[in-house]
Amino acid sequence: MATVLVTAPPPELSTVTHQHHHHRVFNILTQSTTVSIPHLKQIHAQILRTGPAIHHSPETVFLYSRLMHFSSLRDLIYTLQLFNQIPFPNTFIYNTLIRAHAHSKDHKKQAFLLFQELLKQESLLPDKHTFPFVLKACAYLFALSEGKQTHAHVLKHGFGSDVYVNNSLIHFYASCGHSESARKMFDKMPERSLVSWNVIIDALVQMGEFDEALRMFVEMKPSFEPDGYTVQSVIDACAGLGALSLELFDRDVLQMWVVENCSTGFSGNEQTGCEFVERYDIRISSAWRGREGIQTFRSNDQRRKIPPNSITFVGILSACNHRGLVEEGRRYFDIMVNEYKIEPVLQHYGCLIDLMARNGQINEALDIVSRMPMKPDDVIWRSLLDASCRQSEFLDLSEKMARQIMAGEGRASSGDTTHPQTKEIYQFLDVIEERLKLAGFVQDFSQAPLVDEADDGKGQSLKLHSERLAIAFGLLNSKPGAPIRVFKNLRICKDCHNFTKFISKVFSVEIVMRDRLRFHCFRNGSCSCMDFW
């Protein structure tokens, strides 16, 4: 039997071979834009086969940093394994691991702990990329204390004027509900980018400061060309205010502006620019014009390259609801589920249930409630209660639903008395009611609380509704004729709706009110919803 004798190559040859593999791996990781996890593990194995001298070299540390770069957003456990094998990790490697945790679903808290670990390293310092990753995690977690500590280190390490870092600080403070701090950060910035403006405008929109968001947009335009993020925030602000029908911002002007400016890169071409407007117009137009919103959806459904999403169908179902289109509402609900495979959420069910109940199909609406995969909220019970109160055969059912609502709310409201102008507001509300009575206003008690009270007691309960207090406050503190905007999270009741129509005529004031279902624009004694909401 023959014997083959295998001898090890000379040490210098082994080193050359390892250096060759090292150079080959280096090229793969530096020239690739994406590498799969199995491929990364093969490359990792190649690095481990190198000798100890090469394994501890700066080049190998760089290769590990590239491995972590590719793995950090796909496999956090493997990324941690790589990190633990690096003898002297640098700031870039720490940043990569912090970013991986900041983007993870369940391990965002670890991002701040890793940041603290980085600060303890005597030979390392955070850089301008470290802070945005940490602040992103703090913003998501509403970790105000940790975010403020990070802000202190921003100043300590000399990054107080860095645009990139300041943008992250604005986003952090806004996410935590500290609008004043976010605005101060923006105002103090020595240099601003388009992202800076987008961040503060979006922050204002998210906090409901729609007027200020649009004012900031107007202030921004001379210096920066808006992009897709700007447009989205502006549209959200307009939708929040109903400003698309007001003087501040006209929808047709917006559409022309989007199409003409699609060369900025957020749309790509004129067709896509139009599609962008159409997609958002579903939600906006349905708030003001139910049937027009549906027609927009129909006309664009065949040529739409961007498929409708869950929000689109909330808009289209709301549009059906505003016009009492029961069969169309059913059909679009089925299209959403069966054709687009969108799983209905509570808002979709709420629109459909409300649509059916308000059009006399209460038994069918209750059947949907019984088959819902989630528990109905008080808003759905209120929709059913409102509809059943209008039909005598469902009075027993009304009592049961009223108990359900009261059980959810715990107790009824006795009116807001915390405002510093409480006395003046209630006194002026009495003046308003006297003037409306002279103009022919008669209270509607059909939706007053189901309690054993005389009409005077029920009238007092209606007087405590938040929209009346808000309108009284607005009239007290606004210039005569200035528009009043009211936001509430429940549907306006019939009596308050009629009350507001009379106010718009008697006081010659435009009132824009957004309730749970839609916008109402009251002018000269009438409402844009045509008394169907």
Side-chain angles (χ1 to χ4, degrees):
M1 183 175 66
T3 302
V4 177
L5 180 63
V6 178
T7 57
E12 62 273 12
L13 181 59
S14 176
T15 302
V16 171
T17 302
H18 289 318
Q19 287 177 340
H20 173 73
H21 287 304
H22 198 284
H23 183 70
R24 183 167 170 268
V25 168
F26 179 87
N27 287 336
I28 292 173
L29 289 176
T30 54
Q31 294 176 11
S32 301
T33 56
T34 180
V35 184
S36 66
I37 293 295
H39 196 184
L40 284 178
K41 291 182 178 180
Q42 292 177 11
I43 297 172
H44 186 196
Q46 289 280 354
I47 297 173
L48 291 175
R49 291 194 189 102
T50 61
I54 293 180
H55 183 64
H56 290 83
S57 68
E59 290 83 1
T60 303
V61 173
F62 175 76
L63 290 179
Y64 269 97
S65 71
R66 294 297 296 171
L67 285 173
M68 288 183 61
H69 169 75
F70 286 118
S71 69
S72 59
L73 299 181
R74 284 175 283 177
D75 192 329
L76 186 58
I77 294 176
Y78 180 56
T79 304
L80 283 168
Q81 291 174 353
L82 289 170
F83 178 78
N84 291 329
Q85 292 181 17
I86 302 174
F88 303 107
N90 55 29
T91 299
F92 177 85
I93 290 174
Y94 266 102
N95 286 349
T96 302
L97 194 59
I98 291 171
R99 182 190 65 172
H101 284 86
H103 285 273
S104 69
K105 182 180 179 181
D106 302 315
H107 303 282
K108 295 181 185 293
K109 289 183 179 179
Q110 192 68 20
F112 184 75
L113 298 178
L114 285 165
F115 171 63
Q116 290 181 312
E117 184 179 320
L118 168 62
L119 295 175
K120 293 176 183 177
Q121 307 300 316
E122 294 183 0
S123 60
L124 299 180
L125 291 173
D127 60 24
K128 68 177 183 180
H129 302 290
T130 311
F131 298 107
F133 297 147
V134 179
L135 289 167
K136 180 181 179 69
C138 292
Y140 184 89
L141 297 169
F142 308 111
L144 185 62
S145 176
E146 290 82 354
K148 285 185 174 181
Q149 292 178 52
T150 307
H151 189 179
H153 283 287
V154 167
L155 300 176
K156 178 181 177 181
H157 290 88
F159 292 98
S161 60
D162 185 86
V163 176
Y164 188 49
V165 174
N166 280 325
N167 291 343
S168 298
L169 282 167
I170 295 170
H171 175 258
F172 159 70
Y173 281 116
S175 298
C176 293
H178 285 239
S179 57
E180 288 188 12
S181 297
R183 186 58 190 268
K184 285 179 181 178
M185 287 300 309
F186 180 81
D187 291 339
K188 290 180 180 178
M189 289 179 70
E191 180 186 355
R192 296 167 184 161
S193 65
L194 175 60
V195 174
S196 309
W197 288 94
N198 283 347
V199 170
I200 191 64
I201 291 172
D202 182 66
L204 291 167
V205 171
Q206 297 306 317
M207 291 181 287
E209 299 180 25
F210 306 121
D211 274 319
E212 185 64 11
L214 291 176
R215 193 193 68 76
M216 294 289 285
F217 169 69
V218 173
E219 184 181 338
M220 179 202 81
K221 280 200 69 179
S223 304
F224 292 94
E225 188 68 30
D227 65 3
Y229 295 102
T230 323
V231 174
Q232 179 173 339
S233 296
V234 168
I235 291 176
D236 287 343
C238 291
L241 283 175
L244 295 181
S245 66
L246 302 176
E247 296 176 1
L248 183 61
F249 212 93
D250 182 76
R251 177 193 171 275
D252 295 331
V253 173
L254 174 63
Q255 180 162 353
M256 289 175 60
W257 173 71
V258 171
V259 174
E260 289 174 0
N261 288 274
C262 60
S263 61
T264 57
F266 68 86
S267 294
N269 54 58
E270 182 173 338
Q271 178 68 22
T272 310
C274 291
E275 290 170 354
F276 181 89
V277 175
E278 289 160 1
R279 179 175 180 180
Y280 282 93
D281 186 54
I282 292 294
R283 179 176 59 182
I284 297 167
S285 64
S286 67
W288 290 95
R289 309 177 300 275
R291 189 173 297 277
E292 288 86 344
I294 297 169
Q295 289 173 347
T296 302
F297 182 87
R298 287 173 179 161
S299 64
N300 296 318
D301 193 40
Q302 296 299 321
R303 62 186 178 88
R304 186 184 303 273
K305 293 181 181 178
I306 305 174
N309 59 18
S310 178
I311 296 174
T312 310
F313 280 100
V314 170
I316 202 67
L317 290 171
S318 296
C320 292
N321 194 4
H322 297 157
R323 287 293 177 264
L325 305 175
V326 178
E327 293 308 314
E328 292 208 40
R330 285 176 177 273
R331 185 165 65 85
Y332 282 117
F333 189 91
D334 291 338
I335 288 173
M336 176 185 73
V337 175
N338 299 321
E339 292 187 22
Y340 291 99
K341 308 301 180 184
I342 296 173
E343 185 175 349
V345 296
L346 198 59
Q347 290 92 329
H348 298 124
Y349 283 111
C351 290
L352 186 62
I353 290 167
D354 191 56
L355 169 62
M356 298 175 69
R358 294 168 67 199
N359 287 276
Q361 301 184 19
I362 296 179
N363 286 326
E364 292 85 347
L366 288 170
D367 182 58
I368 294 175
V369 171
S370 67
R371 292 186 283 109
M372 283 169 50
M374 70 284 289
K375 186 177 180 180
D377 61 1
D378 289 343
V379 175
I380 288 179
W381 288 121
R382 283 181 182 277
S383 296
L384 291 167
L385 175 62
D386 178 31
S388 60
C389 283
R390 301 178 185 181
Q391 302 181 47
S392 58
E393 65 266 31
F394 290 102
L395 288 180
D396 291 340
L397 183 62
S398 300
E399 185 176 351
K400 293 179 182 178
M401 285 185 286
R403 291 198 187 106
Q404 187 78 32
I405 294 170
M406 287 187 280
E409 293 179 341
R411 61 185 179 87
S413 170
S414 59
D416 184 4
T417 59
T418 61
H419 196 277
Q421 289 184 269
T422 292
K423 184 177 179 180
E424 293 88 344
I425 291 171
Y426 279 95
Q427 286 177 345
F428 188 59
L429 198 55
D430 290 334
V431 174
I432 292 173
E433 289 183 345
E434 288 300 319
R435 290 187 59 178
L436 297 194
K437 286 179 182 178
L438 292 175
F441 172 70
V442 178
Q443 282 193 300
D444 182 346
F445 299 120
S446 65
Q447 291 180 287
L450 295 179
V451 292
D452 188 15
E453 290 182 347
D455 285 351
D456 288 344
K458 292 184 177 183
Q460 185 64 24
S461 296
L462 290 170
K463 183 177 178 179
L464 299 178
H465 284 191
S466 59
E467 53 265 53
R468 299 193 185 207
L469 299 175
I471 292 171
F473 172 80
L475 289 172
L476 268 176
N477 293 277
S478 302
K479 295 179 180 179
I484 295 174
R485 299 186 181 99
V486 180
F487 300 88
K488 59 187 273 92
N489 61 355
L490 296 174
R491 179 200 287 166
I492 183 174
C493 74
K494 288 169 61 179
D495 186 68
C496 287
H497 192 270
N498 197 31
F499 181 84
T500 308
K501 287 200 301 182
F502 268 85
I503 288 180
S504 70
K505 183 174 182 179
V506 172
F507 287 85
S508 300
V509 62
E510 178 183 280
I511 301 173
V512 178
M513 184 181 300
R514 185 183 72 180
D515 69 357
R516 180 182 68 85
L517 290 176
R518 65 176 299 158
F519 282 96
H520 302 262
C521 184
F522 298 91
R523 290 195 191 100
N524 196 30
S526 62
C527 179
S528 59
C529 75
M530 296 179 288
D531 297 336
F532 191 93
W533 74 97

